[in-house]
Structure formats: structure tokens, C-alpha cells
Amino acid sequence: MSKSYNPAAVWKPFGAFSMVKIHEGGQLVHLKGQVSLDREGQIVGKGDMRAQVRQTLENIKAVLAAIGGEMADIVSLTQYTTDIERFMASGDIRKEFFSEPYP
């Protein structure tokens, strides 16, 4: 059996999904894709990719913390972008949340 969680530290789901689902035995965790919304569901950093990356990673960190996890537990991370230059310019922010070996 799986357990679903919607931590109060991040925005409330607005659709038919949970923020995180833990597979039986607690070995495999699936996180809902995160975006740059604050706890009230308001966009953070509109037009500012660096602010959006930071908020998104803070959301992921908060969801993991709510179930006893940490950023180092992440095996794979997918970031979608429409501007590769801005993506490359936000690499230092990702390094604040992850260390080698990176997910």
C-alpha cells in the first residue's frame, strides 16, 4: 500500500494529485512536479528564472523534510526551461541545494 502526503509547508494541490507518494516499505518516493509557488499558491519570481529555481527547490526541500527526507536522497531531477542561457545562469542556485554526485 502507498501513502500520500500534502505538507503544509508548500502550496495546496489544486487538482487530483498529491505532493508526494511513498511506496510500501518506504523505499521509493514519488514527488509531484514542483513550480515556483509560495505557500499561498502565489507565483514567486515572475519573469525571474533564478527566483523561480530557488522557490521550486525550496518547495522540494520542504516536501522531503515533511516525510523525513533530504535533497541528497534525490536520484533524478528534471528541470524544464524555455531559455538555456537562463538555465545555465541558475546552476549556482542548484549547487546550494545539491552536492556531488548530483542527481
Side-chain angles (χ1 to χ4, degrees):
M1 176 180 275
S2 299
K3 292 184 179 181
S4 297
Y5 296 91
N6 290 308
V10 296
W11 51 281
K12 183 179 177 184
F14 49 81
F17 57 84
S18 299
M19 287 295 179
V20 61
K21 190 155 189 128
I22 302 176
H23 183 65
E24 185 176 322
Q27 298 299 314
L28 184 60
V29 175
H30 296 273
L31 298 181
K32 189 257 178 242
Q34 287 295 315
V35 293
S36 62
L37 297 179
D38 63 16
R39 289 180 70 170
E40 289 75 41
Q42 300 299 309
I43 296 172
V44 172
K46 192 170 187 175
D48 181 351
M49 181 182 267
R50 291 178 59 79
Q52 292 176 359
V53 168
R54 182 175 305 286
Q55 182 65 46
T56 301
L57 293 173
E58 288 289 354
N59 288 347
I60 291 169
K61 185 176 177 180
V63 170
L64 289 173
I67 60 167
E70 56 188 44
M71 298 299 273
D73 295 328
I74 294 177
V75 175
S76 179
L77 181 74
T78 302
Q79 179 179 341
Y80 294 100
T81 185
T82 58
D83 187 326
I84 192 64
E85 290 179 15
R86 288 184 182 177
F87 170 81
M88 297 303 287
S90 63
D92 62 313
I93 295 170
R94 289 186 300 277
K95 288 180 180 177
E96 293 175 25
F97 290 83
F98 300 103
S99 58
E100 292 188 37
Y102 300 111

